[in-house]
Amino acid sequence: GIQVEQSPPDLILQEGANSTLRCNFSDSVNNLQWFHQNPWGQLINLFYIPSGTKQNGRLSATTVATERYSLLYISSSQTTDSGVYFCAAARWGAQKLVFGQGTRLTINP
Amino acid sequence: DTEVTQTPKHLVMGMTNKKSLKCEQHMGHRAMYWYKQKAKKPPELMFVYSYEKLSINESVPSRFSPECPNSSLLNLHLHALQPEDSALYLCASSQAAGVGYTFGSGTRLTVV
């Protein structure tokens, strides 16, 4: 099955800093999503991005499908950005999303 | 309505109890999912329902029994659980091809 690896596992930054989170996947996928899990456990879907680039406010994501990686950029970090960021992928038609181990982001004031 | 609603938010149950977790969505999604998440781990898929039929069972023990009464509702019936089953149980829904994944806020289950 698909393997999904995320890096770094932990990231601690000061408020206002920028960050880049990486997701590598082992096989061709046509479903690639980024999620943010807040400290209360809520998983929020940030991007559905099997290829290309998308932006939503201070967050943007790029997936290079041919090279099997995706990047999540967070600019001007705020304390509310803290939590765990998961990348998840699936092949065409597959309903099972395979999650990476996550990147735990801590933004200090 | 762009939400997946899960009840209850917290549940404490004994090993001989029977309880049910409930999940509801009104986004017209035709796929619904149960995930289990242990602390500091990613969510693990348990079951997938597609068009109200069970399409994936990830070898989950029979003490967990899913049910999809209609296209908006998903239940997870619990019986004779073990303390190691304590976890955050997440429901999700999506369009049939896995697009538009939306998670509920979860039920934090403690088995005593």
Side-chain angles (χ1 to χ4, degrees), chain B residues 21-22 29 46 50 67 69 75 87-88 98 101:
Chain B
L21 309 185
K22 296 185 183 303
H29 287 170
M46 300 174 72
S50 181
E67 178 195 20
N75 299 321
L88 179 66
Y101 240 84

Side-chain angles (χ1 to χ4, degrees), chain B residues 34-68:
Chain B
W34 281 114
Y35 282 83
K36 173 182 177 180
Q37 188 178 25
K38 302 284 273 186
K40 299 190 184 301
K41 295 291 186 183
E44 295 177 3
L45 182 67
M46 300 174 72
F47 301 105
V48 180
Y49 272 83
S50 181
Y51 293 89
E52 300 156 52
K53 296 205 182 307
L54 183 65
S55 59
I56 297 177
N57 176 342
E58 291 285 293
S59 302
V60 179
S62 60
R63 57 186 184 270
F64 295 91
S65 176
E67 178 195 20
C68 189

